[in-house]
Amino acid sequence: MAGELIITVSGLRGIVGENLTPQVAADYGRAFGTFLRSKFSDADKLTVCMGRDSRPSGQSLASAVTSGLMTVGINVIDLGIVTTPTVGIMVKHLACAGGIVITASHNPLPYNGIKLLLDNAMAPPPDVAEQIKICFEIRDFFSDDQLKPGKISSNDKADDIHIAKVLRIVDAKAIAQKQFKVVLDSVNGAGGRPGVKLLTALGCKITPMNTEPTGIFAHTPEPTAENLTSLCDAVKKAHADIGFAQDPDADRLAIVDETGAYIGEEYTLALAAKLIFSKQTGNAAANLSTSRMIDDIAKATGGQVIRTPVGEANVASAMIKNNCIIGGEGNGGVIDLRIGPIRDSLVAMAFTLQLLAQTGKTVSQLVGEIPRYSMTKYKFPADKPKVKRILDAVKKLFPDAKIDSSDGFRFDFPDAWIHIRSSNTEPIVRVIAEAKDKAAAAKYIDAVLKIARNPG
Ligand code: MG
């Protein structure tokens, strides 16, 4: 809801200068620092690394959070403008107690946020997130000897460490031999600099678009079809093999094929899975709203897909628990645990190029090989009691469906699925249906909407 400070397991998000002020940021830093002091008794371990996306408000918020952390005796390593997955990588690389990313991801420029990572590079589990939230709200901070504040230092090696890790898990030589023509649109976010570096290391001929980290977004930042028309045109004009679009903190990637067509974010994970399953057998994990394409790809080599509630940490936890070889979310988020438990657009770019190199096929040919589905999304306002009434009625309507109730309700049918879930941050319900074609998906959505109009 606009105007409200939103606090979830992933951290805090608000509108800069309205509800997200330097005081709020400093207090949130103090709350996280207070939690870390309760968890670690070893003073040497009390270091956090911090990165930010390129939003103009990032530096002042980072300074405020740093101030809050130092006040409670936490050391801060400033990574500067880096991608969200880079911070996760550095938390582990530098053996930090935690990490902080100043980002509002794909949200418009007035927003910013403070994302928290624990020492495993993952968002805190719900009970820990609640503990930090309460500490922040009642301002019950660790009170230290003010003569011993935390120290600040910086590290400018984060991009190189991240890129080196990605290069180790692909055949960089084979990719470089192809000299792919790539257009990269980084929306002037954090992904441009490392994105260009990675593609250069992979021998690509790059047409850079919006790769300067100015934070002045060249278009609406969510990497959806309507926001990427200029990328599609640039791919056509450059006769490129592929176009890549990152969101401002570069954890998500969207792909444009060699004809200049936006293929849809669901294909980013599908193509990554196609590569990984071509090399090894195993299982994958994806959230309940992710396309069935990944199930088809896994099944072809005897693998399975473990479905999880929506949210990166849920997918990453399932991947760790089940030793998954690939995972992610349908919004262009690819996770490979060899790099880190965070969605990573650099991993997604490298995997897609590796797939192109090893198959010799074009993006559109590879997309054509994956069983095609049509996904329809809809949202409407509903409070919790109404949502319950709707779900009860939908359950009666589909008595034969296989039901997963771990995050809202997902109803699976042989030819389709429908996922109904309440938003964590707004009084709305999201409905996603996927079927073989648009008409079939619309049939399921219409059935739910009919119930929603009169849930009984
Ligand atoms: Mg993002």
Side-chain angles (χ1 to χ4, degrees):
M1 208 180 295
E4 225 176 77
L5 200 61
I6 295 164
I7 304 180
T8 65
V9 284
S10 318
L12 170 153
R13 189 171 290 181
I15 297 174
V16 178
E18 276 186 26
N19 49 29
L20 183 47
T21 61
Q23 182 64 56
V24 165
D27 281 354
Y28 202 57
R30 288 170 84 191
F32 186 44
T34 299
F35 161 73
L36 294 177
R37 293 215 62 142
S38 72
K39 189 178 171 200
F40 298 102
S41 53
D42 180 358
D44 292 343
K45 178 79 180 159
L46 291 174
T47 298
V48 159
C49 64
M50 185 182 305
R52 61 182 197 276
D53 73 19
S54 61
R55 279 162 219 269
S57 58
Q59 175 73 76
S60 68
L61 283 175
S63 299
V65 178
T66 300
S67 153
L69 285 161
M70 289 169 73
T71 309
V72 293
I74 305 289
N75 305 311
V76 178
I77 302 172
D78 180 15
L79 305 175
I81 295 176
V82 292
T83 75
T84 290
T86 308
V87 178
I89 287 162
M90 293 304 281
V91 165
K92 289 199 161 181
H93 184 79
L94 299 169
C96 290
I100 288 186
V101 198
I102 310 293
T103 179
S105 189
H106 58 275
N107 284 260
L109 209 47
Y111 288 83
N112 212 333
I114 304 164
K115 194 174 161 144
L116 308 179
L117 302 175
L118 299 186
D119 58 345
N120 60 2
M122 283 162 66
D127 59 325
V128 173
E130 187 62 21
Q131 187 186 336
I132 297 166
K133 184 182 172 190
I134 290 169
C135 174
F136 165 74
E137 283 171 349
I138 65 172
R139 307 187 83 248
D140 181 20
F141 305 126
F142 182 85
S143 159
D144 202 351
D145 178 348
Q146 292 306 308
L147 295 176
K148 286 184 190 164
K151 295 185 180 72
I152 184 164
S153 59
S154 63
N155 185 310
D156 60 4
K157 299 281 183 287
D159 279 0
D160 293 341
I161 289 163
H162 186 170
I163 289 163
K165 275 179 92 82
V166 176
L167 290 175
R168 276 202 289 275
I169 62 167
V170 290
D171 187 347
K173 240 190 200 165
I175 297 170
Q177 273 171 2
K178 296 283 184 179
Q179 298 189 316
F180 290 119
K181 279 191 193 169
V182 179
V183 185
L184 173 66
D185 180 353
S186 310
V187 71
N188 293 327
R193 190 189 53 220
V196 167
K197 263 192 187 179
L198 174 73
L199 294 173
T200 304
L202 292 172
C204 298
K205 293 181 178 163
I206 309 161
T207 304
M209 279 179 81
N210 314 315
T211 52
E212 289 302 315
T214 60
I216 308 302
F217 300 145
H219 51 75
T220 308
E222 185 152 31
T224 50
E226 61 273 24
N227 299 330
L228 297 177
T229 50
S230 52
L231 172 63
C232 294
D233 291 344
V235 168
K236 262 190 261 178
K237 205 174 150 206
H239 301 288
D241 297 296
I242 193 165
F244 289 130
Q246 297 166 301
D247 77 331
D249 65 322
D251 56 353
R252 287 167 59 184
L253 185 81
I255 296 171
V256 171
D257 76 11
E258 77 287 354
T259 71
Y262 175 85
I263 64 171
E265 280 184 292
E266 292 287 337
Y267 278 99
T268 308
L269 178 58
L271 291 172
K274 206 170 157 63
L275 173 78
I276 295 298
F277 282 104
S278 76
K279 293 183 173 306
Q280 56 186 126
T281 53
N283 295 327
N287 76 29
L288 286 164
S289 286
T290 299
S291 170
R292 264 188 190 173
M293 290 189 285
I294 189 169
D295 299 74
D296 296 332
I297 292 163
K299 238 181 250 164
T301 56
Q304 267 185 19
V305 180
I306 292 125
R307 291 285 173 174
T308 76
V310 172
E312 172 180 80
N314 296 319
V315 179
S317 299
M319 288 178 72
I320 293 165
K321 197 172 149 203
N322 298 285
N323 211 10
C324 292
I325 54 175
I326 187 77
E329 300 195 286
N331 60 2
V334 173
I335 301 173
D336 187 308
L337 294 175
R338 291 171 294 176
I339 305 297
I342 302 187
R343 296 171 303 186
D344 189 337
S345 66
L346 300 191
V347 170
M349 285 197 276
F351 281 3
T352 312
L353 294 172
Q354 169 89 56
L355 187 63
L356 290 177
Q358 87 179 31
T359 61
K361 292 175 181 166
T362 63
V363 178
S364 65
Q365 285 170 338
L366 290 165
V367 164
E369 289 175 357
I370 298 170
R372 185 170 287 275
Y373 294 97
S374 178
M375 195 182 271
T376 304
K377 299 181 183 186
Y378 199 85
K379 62 180 178 184
F380 55 87
D383 56 19
K384 299 263 179 210
K386 187 176 177 187
V387 174
K388 194 182 172 307
R389 292 206 303 279
I390 293 170
L391 285 170
D392 288 344
V394 175
K395 271 188 261 179
K396 278 185 201 147
L397 183 69
F398 301 128
D400 298 330
K402 198 178 122 207
I403 294 177
D404 185 322
S405 61
S406 59
D407 181 14
F409 276 81
R410 172 162 154 150
F411 300 86
D412 264 277
F413 312 95
D415 61 340
W417 58 265
I418 184 159
H419 187 201
I420 306 170
R421 67 187 284 268
S422 307
S423 163
N424 290 330
T425 52
E426 299 170 86
I428 60 165
V429 172
R430 293 180 201 281
V431 186
I432 303 180
E434 186 180 59
K436 278 285 169 200
D437 57 52
K438 211 172 176 175
K443 195 183 78 186
Y444 286 102
I445 294 261
D446 288 346
V448 173
L449 292 185
K450 201 173 160 197
I451 286 171
R453 280 192 291 273
N454 187 16

